[in-house]
Amino acid sequence: MDVQETTAACRDAFAELASPARTHDPYPFMRWLREHDPVHRAASGLFLLSRHADIYWTLKATGDAFRAPAPGELARYFPRAATSRSLNLLASTIVMKDPPAHTRLRRLISRDFTMRQIENLRPSIARIVAARLDRMAPALERGEPVDLHREFALALPMLVLAELFGMPQDDMFGLAAVIDPILKGLGPHASDPQLAAADAASARVQAYFGGLIQRKRTDPRHDIVSMLVGAHDNDADTLSDAELISMLWGMLLGGFSTTAATIDHAVLAMLAYPEQRHWLQGDAVGVQAFVEEVLRRDSPVMFSTTMRIAQRDIELGGVVIPKNADVRVLIAAGNRDPDAFADPDRFDPARFYGTSPGMSTDGKIMLSFGHGIRFCVGAQLARVQLAESLPRIQARFPTLALAEPPTREPSEFLRTFRALPVRLRGQGELRCASWSTRICAQPAGSAC
């Protein structure tokens, strides 16, 4: 059954994106949706936008045409919120707040989580990258396959967050194990058992961060948690423990799986398009262009989980979105909209060369970190990790190749992996073959 036959009777794009048929390559369906049903109303009543212009406007209009749900109405959109720890934690995060509460939280976080603070982490990130590559090298040099996803892409953001938060590495590895059940429990179609598992995992995270905050209060160090709980002589306002726990919970969920997935996608791009590796062998501007194109072409988050409630009846593309409707944006579809990015399925870092981060040479915005007041606070941290990783992988293992096709993690809103087996070329690697379109995410019939 082709895409049109599949989607002609599609009543729920969210369910379609969660189907096994879309795990490896959801982009033909997204293209169909963007062209035929760009303002999609799912069976649940949620609206999903897939055109770049509509998504950009929606993100920019948050706080004007759209708002976050008020605390008292959360149960209207999430009937299980009254008893769910995870849903209530999600509702308390900064991304679910409107001004002035959002403005206050953003200011308090940005006061300490600054560009300078992230840049100060760069030497530590470089050290972690080098150590992880050293760890992979012996097996690769013996001709053995190594799971780059587990050994590098997952490990790097875990270790960086441990450094940022000022917590033992083993503690972070323990917390990382509960991220997946929380993310699955927060999905639009999560079952009651999945939500219960998410709540148990969230309770564990809350308890850990509560203890960490107390330790940083009595024994502060040079880390972001110590700064956020510390006194500021020129600012009497501080984050409460509950607000800080919510922020750390959100950073753990948002800064771990997504960064790992982007590293995986970046490595796949390096292997699929060797003619583009020169971007990683020159200056920082070229590396940035490569990173931005990876983020555009394979956004780790397919659609937003953040609720945007229409403040009035809104007409988009001839469809009226009624007041109080819940509207989500299909970020991955917007990033491949040909009206925003010419030949959008092609991997072409040149479209971001010499520009501000996230902006193409045509002045179009890459949507993977959002836009407007809810732009991702961890965007620069993710970019630094990618910029420090990719040139070093290329330099250390120039003959890196796939050992076998990667395995993706089934998810309705994240493009993540279970395994990415690699080896050094000449050691039995798989070359581009019948499954290449799954690796390269190109239109059917294309080649690496």
Side-chain angles (χ1 to χ4, degrees):
M1 180 177 289
D2 64 19
V3 173
Q4 288 196 356
E5 290 173 334
T6 300
T7 54
C10 175
R11 299 188 60 189
D12 195 332
F14 295 97
E16 184 67 25
L17 289 169
S19 69
R22 307 299 170 210
T23 297
H24 292 290
D25 187 5
Y27 295 107
F29 170 68
M30 292 185 191
R31 182 169 60 247
W32 185 95
L33 198 67
R34 193 174 53 238
E35 294 172 355
H36 299 278
D37 192 10
V39 185
H40 171 80
R41 183 168 187 168
S44 61
L46 272 66
F47 283 82
L48 185 63
L49 310 181
S50 53
R51 292 184 300 203
H52 184 279
D54 293 339
I55 295 170
Y56 178 75
W57 177 80
T58 299
L59 296 176
K60 197 172 182 179
T62 299
D64 174 23
F66 299 94
R67 61 175 176 82
E73 65 178 355
L74 188 64
R76 173 181 174 183
Y77 300 98
F78 293 106
R80 296 176 292 181
T83 57
S84 169
R85 180 188 297 265
S86 298
L87 289 174
N88 276 281
L89 269 170
L90 178 63
S92 68
T93 58
I94 186 173
V95 296
M96 296 287 276
K97 301 290 186 183
D98 282 331
H102 178 277
T103 307
R104 171 183 169 268
L105 290 174
R106 187 92 183 197
R107 181 183 67 81
L108 292 176
I109 294 170
S110 300
R111 183 180 59 187
D112 295 305
F113 192 44
T114 63
M115 295 283 283
R116 181 177 179 181
Q117 176 76 3
I118 295 169
E119 284 301 314
N120 287 342
L121 271 177
R122 192 180 284 268
S124 295
I125 294 172
R127 172 179 48 79
I128 294 168
V129 169
R132 297 309 299 185
L133 297 181
D134 286 345
R135 181 185 173 101
M136 293 168 55
L140 287 172
E141 290 165 358
R142 290 194 300 268
E144 299 171 9
V146 171
D147 184 358
L148 185 138
H149 171 68
R150 185 185 70 249
E151 295 296 329
F152 188 87
L154 277 178
L156 176 63
M158 277 193 275
L159 294 171
V160 170
L161 284 178
E163 190 96 10
L164 180 69
F165 293 167
M167 54 187 282
Q169 293 181 358
D170 287 346
D171 288 5
M172 179 56 75
F173 281 112
L175 288 185
V178 304
I179 292 174
D180 186 59
I182 296 176
L183 291 174
K184 287 180 177 177
L186 294 175
H189 296 91
S191 65
D192 287 340
Q194 285 177 317
L195 189 57
D199 288 344
S202 289
R204 178 178 169 183
V205 174
Q206 278 184 297
Y208 181 85
F209 282 140
L212 181 66
I213 289 167
Q214 293 307 315
R215 293 197 297 275
K216 299 300 181 181
R217 186 167 283 127
T218 58
D219 184 20
R221 303 295 177 91
H222 297 291
D223 56 73
I224 190 66
V225 180
S226 295
M227 293 179 183
L228 289 168
V229 301
H232 290 261
D233 295 337
N234 59 346
D235 191 346
D237 195 7
T238 60
L239 291 165
S240 68
D241 284 5
E243 289 171 335
L244 185 49
I245 288 172
S246 172
M247 187 270 287
L248 295 173
W249 178 86
M251 289 181 69
L252 183 69
L253 297 188
F256 171 66
S257 298
T258 53
T259 302
T262 304
I263 293 170
D264 288 329
H265 282 128
V267 171
L268 286 176
M270 292 167 58
L271 303 185
Y273 310 108
E275 74 281 3
Q276 302 290 1
R277 293 187 184 185
H278 67 90
W279 296 101
L280 302 175
Q281 298 166 348
D283 57 16
V285 179
V287 174
Q288 175 183 300
F290 192 97
V291 168
E292 297 303 304
E293 179 67 347
V294 171
L295 286 162
R296 179 201 67 83
R297 193 168 174 276
D298 283 294
S299 172
V301 178
M302 288 197 286
F303 64 84
S304 65
T305 57
T306 304
M307 298 175 65
R308 290 175 175 83
I309 310 302
Q311 303 231 54
R312 57 179 182 274
D313 288 356
I314 297 170
E315 183 176 347
L316 287 176
V319 176
V320 175
I321 300 173
K323 181 179 180 179
N324 293 326
D326 184 354
V327 180
R328 310 296 176 96
V329 294
L330 189 53
I331 292 166
N335 277 341
R336 292 213 187 188
D337 188 338
D339 288 340
F341 303 101
D343 196 3
D345 293 327
R346 179 167 52 95
F347 185 80
D348 182 15
R351 66 177 100 232
F352 289 104
Y353 184 73
T355 66
S356 300
M359 179 177 290
S360 75
T361 54
D362 294 329
K364 299 297 184 179
I365 299 297
M366 183 268 295
L367 302 167
S368 297
F369 290 123
H371 188 65
I373 66 172
R374 293 189 173 87
F375 181 78
C376 176
V377 296
Q380 181 61 14
L381 181 61
R383 284 178 164 127
V384 169
Q385 291 179 74
L386 287 157
E388 291 297 321
S389 298
L390 303 183
R392 286 179 170 84
I393 294 173
Q394 164 64 16
R396 184 72 183 270
F397 304 122
T399 62
L400 197 70
L402 284 173
E404 57 184 82
T407 305
R408 288 194 178 270
E409 185 73 42
S411 174
E412 57 193 313
F413 70 97
L414 288 176
R415 294 269 293 157
T416 55
F417 293 79
R418 283 183 177 171
L420 179 54
V422 296
R423 62 170 74 235
L424 298 185
R425 189 174 300 126
Q427 303 292 334
E429 81 280 6
L430 274 178
R431 296 186 182 275
C432 188
S434 60
W435 43 267
S436 65
T437 54
R438 294 182 176 182
I439 303 299
C440 304
Q442 291 279 36
S446 64
C448 290

